[in-house]
Amino acid sequence: MNAATGVTRTIIATDQEARAARSAAECINAATKGGQRPVFSARMDGSNAVDVPVELGHLIMTMLDSIAEGGSLTVTAMPAELTTSLAAHLLGVSRTTLMKRINRGEIPARKVGTHHRLATADVMRARDEKRRQAAETFNRVREAQDDAGITD
């Protein structure tokens, strides 16, 4: 959604675009095996190339990988700080649960007047950790079922 106009755009990659993304991603990944970060440039109609900032290069690479894998992708611009309501939504918890986690010091927050604000990076780290723990738990349960000889 474009914050200024309220317009949401959905872009669906064609098979040809997906093949092109796969080819580009494979070439870039092969060229950057040593942990190097790719550097992207943009050129329009034979004009001089303009370097794309590294942060956007990472975003471009993530998009190429997602399209190449046939996955879906949502790109959203987020402010540096979030309200507790938005942070709770992103974490998949109630605002009350989030406030308890803030009060226990599990997620950093700062006060602005009577309201709390959370750094987007902290919220995303907490979300990633929650997902990692869920995957770990799922794998432990699956291994226990395998060890017990339980099948679907």
Side-chain angles (χ1 to χ4, degrees):
M1 176 190 278
N2 181 319
T5 63
V7 174
T8 300
R9 294 185 188 141
T10 300
I11 300 170
I12 300 171
T14 65
D15 288 341
Q16 181 180 0
E17 290 166 334
R19 282 191 302 275
R22 193 169 16 266
S23 176
E26 287 171 0
C27 289
I28 293 166
N29 285 327
T32 59
K33 280 190 178 177
Q36 300 164 302
R37 296 181 79 173
V39 176
F40 290 91
S41 306
R43 182 177 308 201
M44 297 295 292
D45 297 327
S47 65
N48 293 333
V50 176
D51 286 341
V52 174
V54 172
E55 298 83 7
L56 289 180
H58 176 69
L59 181 64
I60 291 167
M61 198 63 221
T62 301
M63 290 187 308
L64 284 174
D65 284 338
S66 181
I67 293 167
E69 294 167 1
S72 62
L73 179 70
T74 302
V75 179
T76 304
M78 302 250 277
E81 287 190 323
L82 304 173
T83 64
T84 52
S85 296
L86 183 53
H89 175 76
L90 289 171
L91 292 170
V93 299
S94 69
R95 188 180 167 286
T96 303
T97 298
L98 175 63
M99 292 307 299
K100 288 177 185 175
R101 291 184 67 188
I102 290 170
N103 291 333
R104 288 192 303 253
E106 295 174 14
I107 298 178
R110 70 182 189 95
K111 288 211 72 170
V112 177
T114 59
H115 301 280
H116 287 85
R117 295 290 181 263
L118 296 91
T120 300
D122 292 335
V123 173
M124 301 316 270
R125 264 192 297 281
R127 186 181 72 169
D128 291 346
E129 178 61 18
K130 180 180 177 184
R131 288 178 177 173
R132 188 195 61 73
Q133 287 175 352
E136 195 175 280
T137 300
F138 175 78
N139 287 332
R140 279 198 308 267
V141 169
R142 193 174 73 210
E143 287 171 8
Q145 287 178 333
D146 289 347
D147 292 345
I150 300 170
T151 60
D152 291 337

